[in-house]
């Protein structure tokens, strides 16, 4: 018997039973089996023993080392099992927890109004006809009876491109020319929605980009009364059947006569900050298509007539919801957008 060997053996065996984590087990292994561990040191000291004891000592020490190595592996396995069991328990899915909601986007308020506008006009037989946002000066102005240097050009401050004569459309009215040239001399009932661009100082009332919805009806025997009735029907669907509508004489180079359309303000004529005390809100410009424009589109004004209108969806949205600043539309502020 070698008491120092047996002492290490007993210490090691008793201390390992209390170990429950990998770190402590590692320390245990270092203390007994490591390069400077107790068993290792004892094995190295064999040479200092009396010759007769060496073989027996070595044998016993090796047996103890093998046994401790076995204990170490068993403990290691046990600790891994405990850790696995614990992680399974902790990671268990609690089916009673409420689910995490995925944030979903919504339809932009301008798009909602656009779709509403499409629906109303579709019911009256108007189809959507899309035309370009980058236009030539001639189609945006010239063919609409606004020759170069005409003072009416001041109504549309223009973004020019580096290519002379190529501009961003300032209104959807040039779409009238595209539609007429496509369908002449046949009848037309279309709306032309889309982005328009103006070189403006941005303010609560003015943006450099905004939508318009142009309307165009061309055929025979189309009269001013058709325009008034059609626009009135639209306004009543958009703003409510009780809402009063009024037409005011105005001027646009591409219509004759020209009018502006007002609907009764939500203050019911009392006068408020939205209508600036007038009791009326402007929603569109309109008129009978000018003979020059009809001819430019390929129609004979002696045979054909038509009406046109142009409305602003953002403006209509502002009126409907009492929005006082147009910059919200393209400001990308979720606090604004999430309200719709
Ligand atoms: N294009 C005009 C604008 O941007 C709006 C407009 C007025 C369109 C009268 C029309 C119209 O078709 O008949 O101010």
């Amino acid at each position: 018997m070698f008491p120092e060997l047996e002492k290490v053996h007993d210490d090691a065996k008793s201390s390992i039973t209390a170990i429950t984590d990998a770190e402590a087990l590692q320390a245990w292994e270092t203390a007994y089996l490591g390069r400077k561990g107790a068993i290792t040191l004892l094995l190295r000291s064999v040479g200092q023993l009396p010759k007769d004891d060496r073989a027996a000592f070595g044998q016993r020490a090796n047996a103890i080392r093998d046994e401790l190595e076995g204990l170490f592996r068993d403990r290691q396995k046990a600790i891994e099992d405990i850790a696995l069991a614990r992680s399974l328990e902790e990671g268990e899915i609690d089916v009673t927890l409420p689910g995490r909601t995925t944030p979903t986007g919504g339809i932009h308020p301008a798009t909602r109004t656009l779709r509403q506008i499409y629906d109303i006009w579709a019911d009256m037989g108007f189809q959507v006809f899309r035309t370009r946002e980058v236009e030539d000066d001639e189609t945006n102005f010239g063919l609409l009876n606004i020759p170069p240097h005409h003072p009416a050009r001041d109504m549309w401050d223009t973004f020019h491109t580096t290519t002379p004569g190529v501009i961003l459309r300032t209104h959807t009215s040039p779409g009238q020319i595209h539609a007429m040239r496509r369908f002449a001399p046949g009848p037309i009932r279309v709306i032309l929605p889309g982005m328009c661009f103006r070189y403006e100082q941005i303010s609560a009332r003015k943006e450099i980009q905004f939508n318009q919805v142009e309307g165009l009806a061309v055929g025979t025997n189309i009269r001013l009364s058709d325009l008034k009735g059609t626009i009135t029907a639209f306004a009543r669907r958009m703003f409510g059947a009780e809402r009063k509508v009024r037409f005011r004489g105005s001027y646009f180079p591409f219509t004759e006569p020209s009018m502006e359309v007002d609907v009764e303000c939500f203050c019911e004529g009392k006068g408020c900050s939205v209508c600036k005390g007038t009791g009326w809100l402007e929603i569109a410009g309109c008129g009978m298509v000018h003979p020059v424009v009809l001819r430019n589109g390929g129609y004979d004004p002696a045979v054909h007539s038509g009406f046109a209108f142009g409305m602003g969806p953002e403006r209509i949205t502002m009126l409907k919801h009492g929005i006082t600043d147009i910059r919200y539309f393209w400001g990308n502020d979720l606090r604004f957008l999430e309200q719709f």
Side-chain angles (χ1 to χ4, degrees), residues 156 170-171 173 176 198 212 214-215 252 254-255 285-287 308-310:
W156 299 277
T170 58
H171 50 176
S173 300
Q176 290 188 33
R198 282 187 204 170
Q212 276 193 348
E214 190 87 8
F252 297 103
F254 31 87
T255 43
C286 64
F309 57 83

Side-chain angles (χ1 to χ4, degrees), residues 2 23 28 102 109 113 136 145 152 168 179 200 202 205-206 218 255 283 336:
F2 304 98
E23 214 174 305
W28 179 92
T102 326
T113 306
D136 51 78
N145 203 25
L168 302 186
E200 301 270 10
I202 297 175
R205 298 172 55 83
K206 282 187 176 154
V218 181
T255 43
I283 59 158
F336 170 72

Side-chain angles (χ1 to χ4, degrees), residues 102-263:
T102 326
T104 48
I107 307 284
H108 191 279
T111 308
R112 292 173 89 96
T113 306
L114 274 170
R115 291 183 180 181
Q116 229 174 324
I117 292 173
Y118 300 163
D119 285 349
I120 296 172
W121 289 111
D123 286 350
M124 293 194 270
F126 286 75
Q127 282 180 284
V128 173
F129 186 80
R130 292 190 182 274
T131 63
R132 62 191 67 164
E133 292 178 351
V134 179
E135 268 297 357
D136 51 78
D137 187 277
E138 178 68 354
T139 318
N140 193 82
F141 292 119
L143 295 170
L144 291 172
N145 203 25
I146 319 167
H149 311 300
H150 191 286
R153 288 206 176 200
D154 283 354
M155 291 162 76
W156 299 277
D157 295 309
T158 308
F159 279 115
H160 297 266
T161 68
T162 48
T163 312
V166 176
I167 62 170
L168 302 186
R169 67 174 172 195
T170 58
H171 50 176
T172 44
S173 300
Q176 290 188 33
I177 299 294
H178 292 295
M180 285 191 276
R181 291 189 167 178
R182 172 92 151 69
F183 300 116
I188 295 179
R189 231 189 281 175
V190 291
I191 52 169
L192 311 145
M195 271 291 170
C196 302
F197 308 87
R198 282 187 204 170
Y199 185 51
E200 301 270 10
Q201 176 71 50
I202 297 175
S203 71
R205 298 172 55 83
K206 282 187 176 154
E207 253 292 359
I208 58 170
Q209 68 170 69
F210 52 89
N211 286 285
Q212 276 193 348
V213 178
E214 190 87 8
L216 176 68
V218 181
T220 49
N221 291 318
I222 292 182
R223 299 172 229 247
L224 188 70
S225 51
D226 296 314
L227 169 58
K228 288 178 74 177
T230 312
I231 293 273
T232 304
F234 168 82
R236 291 196 174 140
R237 287 250 338 244
M238 196 72 200
F239 295 97
E242 305 305 314
R243 195 58 59 89
K244 290 201 186 87
V245 181
R246 106 181 155 176
F247 292 82
R248 241 179 327 110
S250 186
Y251 172 75
F252 297 103
F254 31 87
T255 43
E256 182 58 38
S258 304
M259 298 178 294
E260 270 166 307
V261 188
D262 297 340
V263 294

